Amino acid sequence: MRTALIAAAMIVANSSAASAAPAPSQPIADRAASQLYGPFELHSRIYPGTVRRYWVYVPADYDPARPPNLLLFQDGQRAVNPGGSLKIPAALDGLIRTGGIPSTLGIFVTPGHRGAHYPGDLGMNNPDHRVEEYDSLSDDYARLTLDELLPAVAKRWRFANDPRRRAIGGTSSGAIAAWTVAWRHPDQFRNVLSFIGSYTSIGLTLAPDGTPRTYGGDTYPGLIRKSAIRPLRIFLQDGRNDLDNEHGNWFLANQQMLKALEWANAHAGSDCGTGPCYDINHVWTDGAHSDADAGLLLPDALRWIWRDPASRTR
């Protein structure tokens, strides 16, 4: 299967996200019938002693008899911030209204924070349990997502069961968290939106003798090359001016992810034979470690993710 490119040489301006927190519940400005509900609190059995917030975007044409597609996005406090770079509820509104994507329910979830309640003054800052959840290669965060978060939302709103109609995404460590969920559970999510993904050694911890106790996201390119292909559709974005620190080089790490996915496809036989292939799209920009490019590219990325008839069946 050919690798699709939106605009590999595209240059996108960079800007920093605003820090104003969203209102607890707000209608989408340009489509009054759409609604953003929340924040709700979710306490986890998988991560005892932590709490997280989540919001639910319900499209104007929501019909429980015809469940919509699902977009699950990490770092929900930034995803729903009307003064930030992402503004995903507004983006969904425009895309659904113009027919760019199918009707879609959005779930925007923060990482966990240690405590009985989520701090009201945290704003756009990261909760204190983010690394343990987002940068781990274990199945724990996927279990929280599939066994706790989605069932909590499903008590009130219905959404697609077909993994081809589900997308999971995030920026930075939120991107690797989204990738891990889909990598481990392609039967639940077939589509990944990865912006400035932290495929670096943040999750690596060492024993006193220097041997790894836990591994980081820089392990993924090797795992992709040596594992069976999952039937995943992946959109990758990173900027040439992304971070370079003790955890790794972000732009190099994202290029390694792309090369590993392409290598896996190339060695799966002609047109990937009769089995699954990775459906890959990437955009390298001139941006830094910021949500700005993600906000600009998200509409095109979602159109690409849900471009075929199978993703539009309700």
Side-chain angles (χ1 to χ4, degrees):
M1 186 178 295
R2 296 192 304 272
T3 298
L5 300 179
I6 289 180
M10 182 178 181
I11 297 177
V12 182
N14 187 32
S15 64
S16 60
S19 59
S25 182
Q26 57 195 19
I28 307 307
D30 63 343
R31 202 172 190 217
S34 297
Q35 186 71 39
L36 184 67
Y37 294 91
F40 306 102
E41 285 196 350
L42 178 70
H43 294 262
S44 175
R45 299 183 305 276
I46 294 164
Y47 297 111
T50 65
V51 59
R52 68 218 72 249
R53 279 181 172 176
Y54 68 93
W55 294 257
V56 179
Y57 165 89
V58 181
D61 61 353
Y62 174 75
D63 180 355
R66 302 172 66 229
N69 284 17
L70 175 65
L71 171 63
L72 172 58
F73 213 86
Q74 320 313 307
D75 290 308
Q77 75 279 21
R78 299 204 309 269
V80 302
N81 180 9
S85 298
L86 294 170
K87 295 186 279 288
I88 299 180
L92 290 176
D93 235 27
L95 288 166
I96 296 168
R97 184 180 62 246
T98 59
I101 64 170
S103 181
T104 298
L105 188 91
I107 304 174
F108 311 105
V109 60
T110 73
H113 195 87
R114 296 177 180 90
H117 294 286
Y118 194 91
D121 59 353
L122 198 56
M124 298 302 107
N125 294 322
N126 290 329
D128 64 13
H129 206 246
R130 187 172 186 261
V131 169
E132 292 85 346
E133 297 179 14
Y134 281 11
D135 293 291
S136 169
L137 272 61
S138 79
D139 199 37
D140 290 348
Y141 188 71
R143 289 170 51 221
L144 177 146
T145 300
L146 301 176
D147 298 342
E148 297 182 340
L149 176 61
L150 294 190
V153 175
K155 289 179 181 178
R156 183 168 180 183
W157 296 285
R158 297 190 65 198
F159 45 84
N161 288 320
D162 186 341
R164 296 172 299 178
R165 295 177 54 204
R166 292 180 171 188
I168 186 167
T171 70
S172 189
S173 292
I176 188 175
W179 166 261
T180 298
V181 173
W183 170 258
R184 286 180 166 273
H185 299 276
D187 59 322
Q188 298 294 320
F189 286 94
R190 292 281 176 91
N191 305 294
V192 181
L193 295 157
S194 173
F195 300 100
I196 57 172
S198 298
Y199 302 103
T200 60
S201 67
I202 295 173
L204 174 66
T205 61
L206 302 176
D209 64 357
T211 57
R213 281 176 169 163
T214 61
Y215 290 88
D218 53 339
T219 308
Y220 269 128
L223 287 173
I224 291 167
R225 289 172 182 263
K226 294 186 176 182
S227 301
I229 290 177
R230 276 74 160 163
L232 297 176
R233 180 172 288 178
I234 310 105
F235 179 89
L236 287 168
Q237 176 272 328
D238 198 26
R240 296 175 183 87
N241 294 296
D242 205 341
L243 296 171
D244 185 10
N245 59 30
E246 71 274 19
H247 302 302
N249 181 291
W250 264 245
F251 186 43
L252 179 60
N254 277 271
Q255 292 177 83
Q256 289 278 27
M257 286 289 290
L258 175 63
K259 286 298 184 182
L261 293 164
E262 291 177 339
W263 187 92
N265 280 353
H267 288 77
S270 178
D271 292 328
C272 295
T274 59
C277 272
Y278 296 113
D279 189 2
I280 319 157
N281 199 329
H282 78 276
V283 175
W284 303 145
T285 73
D286 281 344
H289 199 72
S290 162
D291 292 344
D293 290 352
L296 293 173
L297 292 168
L298 181 68
D300 280 343
L302 283 171
R303 291 187 190 98
W304 178 78
I305 285 286
W306 284 324
R307 68 189 187 273
D308 49 39
S311 66
R312 292 176 171 269
T313 304
R314 291 180 67 188

